[in-house]
Amino acid sequence: MKVALTEKPGPIGVFDSGYGGLTILHEIRQLMPQYDYLYLGDNARTPYGTRSFEVVYEFTREAVQKLFDLGCHLVILACNTASAKALKTIQQNDLPKMEGETRRVLGVIRPTAECIGQITHSRHVGILATSGTISSGSYPLEIRKLYPDIAVSGEACPMWVPLVENYEYDSPGADYFVEKRIGNLLRKDPAIDTIILGCTHYPLLLNKILKYTPRNVRIVPQGEYVAYSLKDYLQRHTEIETLCTQSGTCRFLTTESPDKFTESASIFLRQHVEAERVVLE
């Protein structure tokens, strides 16, 4: 990473490989509308879920660097695959090489893991996520660190992100893929009473997910828990909070066509947004 960065306060950066991170951004802005936000979607290279650890790290590092270059001191990886495959390397290898101590990168897996102990009663939890997140083992690792008594089972859902990105999340064709993956997960462990949606795209499939999930099983989207975790983080780390500007603005950047981003982002956020194109390198 480059090291010549501004020390002036700036917006909070939010990064995702595609559009799913907008569900996290929405919840964060609902809870803390006073801050400025800069969202970056690497839509030209999505999805990350099937890519190798090395490639996900490289792409994520480039995105984090771009947000730092644009004045962010705090970046949220609103992408489970990036959080699983790149976060620790960036925190341990890249940030220490930078001048000063005013840059932070946070993920979405730890905040989700922290809340799960208060939700599950059976102590059996399921994870629905991309192939990359499941293969990384990040959720079982984080949950067992905090709650060794909880059994964790995962199911990869390789078709779910394409369904969302191609606006098929509410179509009849989505039912087959949703029912199949939930059925697979519950057959692995019938005692599951809590399912984490371990991909930020999945809340758009929530109606289908609820349709095929038993009523006694609780579904946990991430956005609300990540937002409250970030609020707590800023309250505990005032040295970072004072470097986050507060004018209530939000800008959107994409590596794809701005028009395409605007069309899709408006579906996720249920409001019209304007985006600018950037190049990552």
Side-chain angles (χ1 to χ4, degrees):
M1 285 188 172
K2 301 173 186 176
V3 293
L5 298 170
T6 179
E7 292 304 311
K8 294 179 181 178
I12 296 173
V14 180
F15 168 69
D16 184 32
S17 60
Y19 300 103
L22 294 169
T23 63
I24 300 292
L25 174 66
H26 173 75
E27 294 293 338
I28 292 174
R29 291 185 72 198
Q30 288 287 106
L31 185 64
M32 298 180 289
Q34 70 273 27
Y35 292 102
D36 297 316
Y37 298 94
L38 182 57
Y39 182 89
L40 170 56
D42 190 10
N43 308 91
R45 301 189 292 196
T46 196
Y48 280 16
T50 56
R51 295 186 184 273
S52 68
F53 273 77
E54 293 77 14
V55 170
V56 171
Y57 162 67
E58 178 186 333
F59 288 177
T60 304
R61 180 180 54 79
E62 291 171 359
V64 168
Q65 181 65 58
K66 175 62 72 173
L67 289 168
F68 283 167
D69 289 345
L70 292 170
C72 299
H73 289 262
L74 174 63
V75 173
I76 311 301
L77 301 186
C79 172
N80 282 270
T81 303
S83 295
K85 293 185 173 184
L87 177 61
K88 278 191 171 58
T89 305
I90 289 173
Q91 288 176 331
Q92 295 173 3
N93 293 356
D94 294 303
L95 292 184
K97 298 175 184 175
M98 304 176 71
E99 291 182 349
E101 298 179 352
T102 63
R103 295 303 190 281
R104 296 290 186 275
V105 182
L106 305 176
V108 292
I109 293 177
R110 178 78 182 195
T112 310
E114 287 174 344
C115 77
I116 213 68
Q118 285 71 52
I119 297 174
T120 176
H121 297 291
S122 71
R123 315 309 278 178
H124 290 255
V125 171
I127 314 292
L128 296 169
T130 65
S131 301
T133 298
I134 294 297
S135 66
S136 76
S138 295
Y139 270 102
L141 183 65
E142 290 295 335
I143 291 172
R144 285 167 187 155
K145 278 183 193 173
L146 300 166
Y147 310 105
D149 63 314
I150 293 180
V152 183
S153 301
E155 175 72 13
C157 309
M159 286 300 297
W160 287 21
V161 169
L163 285 170
V164 172
E165 298 261 341
N166 290 284
Y167 319 122
E168 295 290 335
Y169 54 88
D170 210 25
S171 72
D175 287 67
Y176 168 79
F177 298 103
V178 173
E179 182 180 18
K180 176 180 179 181
R181 296 304 173 180
I182 292 174
N184 287 351
L185 179 63
L186 294 177
R187 278 190 291 275
K188 289 177 181 177
D189 184 357
I192 287 172
D193 73 344
T194 305
I195 295 177
I196 295 171
L197 301 186
C199 175
T200 54
H201 284 72
Y202 294 177
L204 269 74
L205 285 160
L206 190 57
N207 288 338
K208 300 287 189 187
I209 292 168
L210 292 172
K211 180 178 177 181
Y212 295 107
T213 303
R215 290 188 177 182
N216 65 311
V217 177
R218 181 167 175 180
I219 302 298
V220 180
Q222 297 176 287
E224 179 183 351
Y225 299 101
V226 172
Y228 276 100
S229 178
L230 176 59
K231 182 178 182 180
D232 176 68
Y233 178 88
L234 291 172
Q235 289 172 342
R236 288 184 293 107
H237 296 273
T238 54
E239 76 282 6
I240 300 297
E241 195 276 339
T242 55
L243 292 169
C244 300
T245 52
Q246 300 188 37
S247 300
T249 66
C250 189
R251 287 176 60 204
F252 297 90
L253 307 176
T254 177
T255 56
E256 246 287 2
S257 156
D259 290 340
K260 187 175 187 301
F261 181 91
T262 294
E263 179 185 1
S264 297
S266 299
I267 294 172
F268 277 82
L269 295 175
R270 295 183 175 86
Q271 68 181 69
H272 180 74
V273 301
E274 295 289 341
E276 308 162 47
R277 184 173 183 273
V278 295
V279 177
L280 301 182
E281 54 188 7

